[in-house]
C-alpha cells in the first residue's frame, strides 16, 4: 500500500506524545487510575507499532530522494523509539527483565527520555502542518482503523501472555513485579538518580512546624510504635510489601492552621513535599520487619508513603517542615 505520508506523520505526532505523557503520568499516579493509565500507555505504544510499517516506507523514500538533511537525528529518533518499544515489551511481558547492569524498565525510561529532544527536533526540522483536508471522512476512518488495530493488538498480546503463562501477567496495576515481600533482607536498595547513603546517619530529627522548632532524639522517636503494612513500588519496575514501624508524621507536627504542605528533607538534600492532609498516613519509619533500618534502606529513618511510588519514600530523613507552599510546587519527579 502506498503510504499516506501526511496522515502517518500526523498520527505519530499524536501517539508518540500520548505514549510519553501516559508513561510519565503512570509514574506520578498513586490512585486506582494507574491501571487505566497503564492500559492507555500500552495502546499508545501499539499505535506506534501499527504505524511503523508506513513510517518505515516514508523514511525509505526520504533516503532514496537524498533528502537526508538532519538524517542523523532522524535515525537516532527511530532507534530510540524502537529501543523504547522493545524494552517496554520485554518488561511488560516479563520475557527479559534485565539486560546486563540495567533493567528493561530503566532502559525503557532512558531511551524514552532520549527520544524527547530528538522528537521535538524532528517536528521542527520536518514539520507536519495540519490542513483542513486532514479532517476528511477518509482520514477519520483511517484514524479509527489505527485506533482499533492498536486496541486489538494490545488485547491480543494480553491474551497471548495469559495463554503462554508469561510472567508479565503477574504484575501489579502499576506494571511492577513483586520481590522480597515480608523479607526485608532481600529488599533491593535503590536510589532515584545520583543520591548515595551518607557515611553516618543523623542523631536527631528537626521538626519546624506551627512556628516552633523541635529536635527529636532517636531515643524519643524509637518510643513510638506505629505500624504500617505498605508496598514500596519503585518506578524501576518492582514492588515489595513490608511491615514498617515508627511514628506517624502527624504526631510530630504542631497544629498550624496556615500549613498546606509538609516538606521532608534528607540528610543528603533529597526532598519531597506532601499535602498536609497526608500527614496522618505518612509514617516516619525506623524499623522494617522488626529490625532497625539498614543504611541502604534509609537508616536511621525514612518516609513510608502508602499509595505513592518509591521516589516519595525519602530515606535518611533529617528534617521536616510545614508551611503554606502548595505541595505541587516542586518538580513532578526529583532532580537528584
Ligand atoms: N534520600 C533519598 N531517598 C530516596 C531515594 C533517593 O535517591 N534519595 N530514592 C527513592 C526511590 S526512587 C526508591 S524506589 C526508594 C527505594 O528504597 P529502598 O532502597 O529502601 O528499596 O527510596 C526512595 N528514597
Ligand atoms: Mo525508585
Amino acid at each position: 500500500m502506498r503510504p499516506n505520508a501526511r496522515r502517518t506523520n500526523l498520527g505519530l505526532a499524536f501517539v508518540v506524545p500520548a505514549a510519553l505523557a501516559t508513561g510519565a503520568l503512570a509514574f506520578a499516579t498513586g490512585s486506582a487510575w494507574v491501571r487505566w493509565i497503564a492500559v492507555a500507555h500500552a495502546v499508545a505504544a501499539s499505535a506506534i507499532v501499527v504505524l511503523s510499517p508506513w513510517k518505515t516506507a516514508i523514511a525509505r523514500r526520504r533516503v532514496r530522494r537524498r533528502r537526508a538533511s538532519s538524517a542523523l537525528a532522524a535515525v537516532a529518533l527511530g532507534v530510540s523509539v524502537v529501543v523504547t518499544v522493545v524494552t517496554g515489551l520485554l518488561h511488560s511481558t516479563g520475557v527479559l527483565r534485565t539486560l546486563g547492569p540495567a533493567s528493561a524498565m530503566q532502559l525503557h525510561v532512558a531511551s524514552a527520555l532520549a527520544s524527547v529532544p530528538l522528537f521535538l527536533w524532528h517536528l521542527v526540522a520536518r514539520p507536519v502542518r495540519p490542513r483542513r483536508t486532514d479532517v476528511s471522512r477518509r482520514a477519520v476512518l483511517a484514524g479509527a482503523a489505527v485506533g482499533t488495530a492498536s486496541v486489538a493488538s494490545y488485547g491480543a498480546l494480553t491474551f497471548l501472555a495469559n495463554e503462554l503463562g508469561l510472567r508479565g501477567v503477574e504484575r501489579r496495576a502499576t506494571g511492577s513485579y513483586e520481590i522480597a515481600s515480608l523479607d526485608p533482607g532481600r529488599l533491593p536498595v535503590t536510589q532515584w538518580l545520583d543520591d548515595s547513603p551518607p557515611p553516618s546517619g543523623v542523631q536527631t530529627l528537626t521538626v519546624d512546624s506551627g512556628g516552633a522548632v523541635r529536635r527529636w532524639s532517636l531515643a524519643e522517636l524509637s518510643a513510638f510504635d506505629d505500624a504500617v503494612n505498605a508496598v514500596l513500588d519503585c518506578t524501576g519496575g518492582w514492588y515489595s510489601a513490608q511491615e514498617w514501624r515508627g511514628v506517624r508524621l502527624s504526631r510530630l507536627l504542631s497544629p498550624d492552621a496556615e500549613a498546606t504542605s509538609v516538606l521532608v528533607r534528607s540528610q543528603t538534600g533529597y526532598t519531597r513535599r506532601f499535602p498536609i492532609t497526608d500527614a496522618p498516613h505518612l509514617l516516619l519509619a525506623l524499623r522494617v520487619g522488626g529490625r532497625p533500618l539498614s543504611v541502604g534502606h534509609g537508616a536511621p529513618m525514612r518516609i513510608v508513603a502508602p499509595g505513592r511510588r518509591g521516589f516519595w519514600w525519602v530515606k535518611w530523613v533529617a528534617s521536616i517542615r510545614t508551611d503554606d507552599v502548595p505541595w505541587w510546587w516542586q518538580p513532578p519527579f526529583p532532580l537528584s
Side-chain angles (χ1 to χ4, degrees):
M1 195 197 306
R2 184 171 149 59
N4 182 319
R6 289 186 50 73
R7 268 185 224 144
T8 304
N9 287 337
L10 277 173
L12 283 166
F14 175 73
V15 294
V16 170
L20 289 164
T22 48
L25 211 55
F27 278 4
T29 307
S31 67
W33 280 105
V34 72
R35 166 165 274 119
W36 300 108
I37 295 166
V39 169
H41 186 60
V43 171
S46 299
I48 295 175
V49 176
V50 166
L51 288 169
S52 63
W54 283 274
K55 185 63 185 177
T56 311
I58 293 164
R60 281 230 185 86
R61 279 193 292 159
R62 281 269 186 183
V63 171
R64 239 181 273 134
R65 290 188 203 156
R66 294 184 187 278
R67 289 225 297 245
S69 60
S70 71
L72 198 64
V75 169
L77 173 59
V79 170
S80 70
V81 171
V82 170
V83 172
T84 307
V85 170
V86 169
T87 49
L89 267 174
L90 291 177
H91 172 84
S92 59
T93 55
V95 166
L96 191 63
R97 282 162 50 207
T98 49
L99 295 114
S103 68
M105 190 62 177
Q106 284 169 325
L107 289 172
H108 180 67
V109 173
S111 54
L113 286 175
S115 76
V116 173
L118 295 168
F119 177 79
L120 293 175
W121 166 249
H122 198 70
L123 277 186
V124 172
R126 315 246 174 107
V128 259
R129 290 194 189 83
R131 284 186 206 142
R132 261 216 209 165
T133 48
D134 288 332
V135 279
S136 68
R137 202 182 130 82
R138 284 187 66 180
V140 171
L141 285 176
V146 169
T148 308
S150 310
V151 173
S153 36
Y154 166 68
L157 188 69
T158 311
F159 176 79
L160 210 68
N162 268 298
E163 289 299 299
L164 297 175
L166 297 183
R167 279 214 60 194
V169 300
E170 297 164 16
R171 292 177 310 145
R172 208 169 174 242
T174 56
S176 296
Y177 290 89
E178 193 277 329
I179 186 172
S181 284
L182 302 177
D183 185 3
R186 290 198 306 121
L187 181 67
V189 168
T190 183
Q191 268 66 255
W192 175 253
L193 288 180
D194 62 351
D195 208 358
S196 55
S200 63
V202 293
Q203 292 304 314
T204 58
L205 172 76
T206 308
V207 179
D208 182 347
S209 124
V213 178
R214 162 147 193 206
R215 289 204 168 72
W216 295 79
S217 71
L218 291 181
E220 287 173 308
L221 293 169
S222 301
F224 294 94
D225 199 24
D226 296 330
V228 170
N229 291 306
V231 172
L232 172 54
D233 189 333
C234 176
T235 54
W238 55 266
Y239 74 88
S240 187
Q242 304 292 341
E243 194 228 31
W244 307 90
R245 279 178 191 267
V247 51
R248 289 189 185 276
L249 224 57
S250 49
R251 293 191 193 252
L252 305 175
L253 306 178
S254 312
D256 180 354
E258 314 279 77
T260 55
S261 67
V262 48
L263 181 69
V264 178
R265 183 183 297 275
S266 83
Q267 196 186 344
T268 53
Y270 184 97
T271 59
R272 280 277 95 188
R273 188 181 281 282
F274 300 84
I276 195 85
T277 46
D278 271 23
H281 317 293
L282 294 172
L283 184 78
L284 184 70
L286 287 86
R287 294 180 289 282
V288 60
R291 292 171 159 268
L293 293 179
S294 65
V295 173
H297 293 306
M301 51 197 150
R302 76 167 317 156
I303 291 294
V304 167
R308 288 180 185 268
R309 297 302 289 270
F311 64 87
W312 290 91
W313 295 44
V314 183
K315 301 193 278 193
W316 314 300
V317 173
S319 68
I320 291 169
R321 191 178 84 208
T322 59
D323 56 34
D324 59 1
V325 176
W327 72 267
W328 43 261
W329 190 247
Q330 65 185 331
F333 302 107
L335 302 176
S336 67

